[in-house]
Amino acid sequence: MAYTDILYEKKNGVAWITINRPEVRNAFRTITVAELTDAFVDARWDPAIGVVVLTGAGDKAFCSGGDQKERGQGGYAPGAASQRPMDLGGEGRSGAEGAGATSRPFNRPMDVEALHSAIRHIPKPVIAMVNGFAVGGGHVLHVLCDLSIASDNAIFGQTGPRVGSVDAGHGTGFLARVVGEKKAREIWYLCRQYSAADALVMGLVNKVVPLKDLRAEVEKWCAELLDKSPTALALAKQSFNIDSEPRAGVAQFAHTALGLYYQTDEAMEGRNAFVEKRPVDFKKFRK
Ligand code: S0N
């Protein structure tokens, strides 16, 4: 399959999915999300694949979240930055199946929810190989992976309230399950950046290694996983998912709400400040 924004390689039972936009710290745009979803669906149904690794190209970033330059007043979609809010239409299809990244024109809004669903519902372990910044929607992606292995230069954090965005679905609720309520609120409200060492202490990652050893370490974990019973792993993953599955309903609601929030001047102030490289000023929006 020909992808433009990701690399997709299958080797020795492992599917390696790499966001390939290092020039923007592997920020995802609409087509990136569609391609990622398509690759996860492919890996799900390929019996030769037992483990999936998600990573970013280069040595600076895993993923920096939504591409702020594609975001318009209404959200992310091809050409959205120059469209009116209502041109972006309503909610798209939900769920991972049939993303059809390479077979359909990209004339619809970004479907992050489908990607989240694809990561959670593939009945195989997904490892986030975090090789630099994992921030904003990129941080949510690693949190949703089953395991996270980070390089010692990795930086973690949410940025939403700083850039006029919030993933109030899995982004908030699932993070709280991982690091606890107090820490999750701190991460979301203050938008600070955390080191790999911090992440290890708070249980946000499973292991930290020097950047030069990252790939080998992940390959080691993959080999261990590939020796295990695939059905037992699938049942364990699905069992772990059950308790947080109601969050998927919240995620639908949260994404609809986010679409409305994106239409406001307040949300655009966050986006514009980032793109214009200036301090953000939300003071006038206080109620
Ligand atoms: C990653 C950061 C911290 C890296 O800083 P550093 O190393 O100083 O590099 P920069 O000079 O800042 O960046 C290098 C070049 O890359 C561009 N760039 C970086 N990140 C992005 C980005 N996210 N979008 C577009 N461009 C990006 C820079 O502009 C720069 O380019 P040049 O050289 O041309 O100036 C730092 O870059 C940073 O803080 N980045 C922004 C992080 C951020 O705020 N991300 C977006 C947060 N929001 C989301 O992710 C939305 C999530 C989302 O889409 C979603 C999630 C769930 C449900 C729904 C949705 C939905 O929106 O639909």
Side-chain angles (χ1 to χ4, degrees):
M1 284 189 196
Y3 292 126
T4 63
D5 284 19
I6 68 166
L7 305 173
Y8 184 46
E9 184 195 9
K10 299 184 206 179
K11 204 174 163 192
N12 302 330
V14 182
W16 295 84
I17 303 176
T18 305
I19 304 171
N20 190 24
R21 307 189 71 222
E23 69 284 0
V24 286
R25 302 292 185 265
N26 295 317
F28 54 72
R29 53 182 177 169
T30 303
I31 189 170
T32 326
V33 170
E35 289 183 356
L36 288 168
T37 308
D38 194 68
F40 272 100
V41 172
D42 179 84
R44 173 182 182 150
W45 296 111
D46 186 340
I49 296 302
V51 183
V52 180
V53 178
L54 177 64
T55 191
D59 59 4
K60 290 199 168 64
F62 170 77
C63 176
S64 64
D67 186 329
Q68 299 300 292
K69 290 156 200 162
E70 194 196 53
R71 177 180 157 194
Q73 191 153 11
Y76 296 84
S82 57
Q83 282 176 311
R84 293 173 298 125
M86 297 317 290
D87 291 338
L88 290 170
E91 288 298 292
R93 169 200 42 77
S94 172
E97 258 68 28
T102 55
S103 60
R104 294 185 199 172
F106 289 90
N107 58 0
R108 60 189 181 190
M110 182 187 285
D111 195 352
V112 173
E113 197 191 334
L115 174 58
H116 289 178
S117 170
I119 295 171
R120 275 176 59 84
H121 295 145
I122 180 172
K124 305 174 182 184
V126 180
I127 300 178
M129 184 167 92
V130 184
N131 53 323
F133 287 105
V135 297
H139 189 257
V140 177
L141 292 184
H142 108 83
V143 171
L144 286 177
C145 291
D146 297 278
L147 302 164
S148 294
I149 303 178
S151 54
D152 50 6
N153 68 329
I155 303 275
F156 300 81
Q158 295 297 154
T159 59
R162 183 156 51 78
V163 297
S165 165
V166 57
D167 177 352
H170 293 300
T172 50
F174 193 70
L175 180 66
R177 299 178 72 91
V178 175
V179 299
E181 282 276 346
K182 291 281 183 191
K183 203 69 196 179
R185 286 169 197 243
E186 174 192 310
I187 290 170
W188 267 99
Y189 296 173
L190 278 73
C191 302
R192 289 180 181 166
Q193 294 186 346
Y194 300 85
S195 68
D198 293 334
L200 190 61
V201 169
M202 59 175 117
L204 195 53
V205 298
N206 299 85
K207 177 130 190 181
V208 177
V209 296
L211 179 61
K212 68 177 175 44
D213 301 331
L214 183 61
R215 172 94 185 198
E217 182 68 27
V218 171
E219 282 172 350
K220 211 164 82 184
W221 286 56
C222 289
E224 276 189 54
L225 287 164
L226 289 168
D227 279 345
K228 306 292 181 295
S229 156
T231 305
L233 290 177
L235 292 172
K237 175 164 182 170
Q238 289 165 345
S239 163
F240 280 122
N241 279 351
I242 286 170
D243 286 349
S244 55
E245 201 51 29
R247 207 68 215 173
V250 177
Q252 288 182 12
F253 188 73
H255 287 204
T256 301
L258 183 60
L260 296 172
Y261 174 53
Y262 277 150
Q263 295 188 21
T264 66
D265 291 341
E266 180 178 347
M268 283 307 283
E269 165 60 14
R271 180 264 183 201
N272 290 340
F274 175 79
V275 171
E276 294 161 17
K277 299 182 191 288
R278 63 167 170 80
V280 70
D281 183 5
F282 285 124
K283 288 193 184 62
K284 68 177 174 201
F285 299 106
R286 253 182 228 139
K287 298 175 183 100

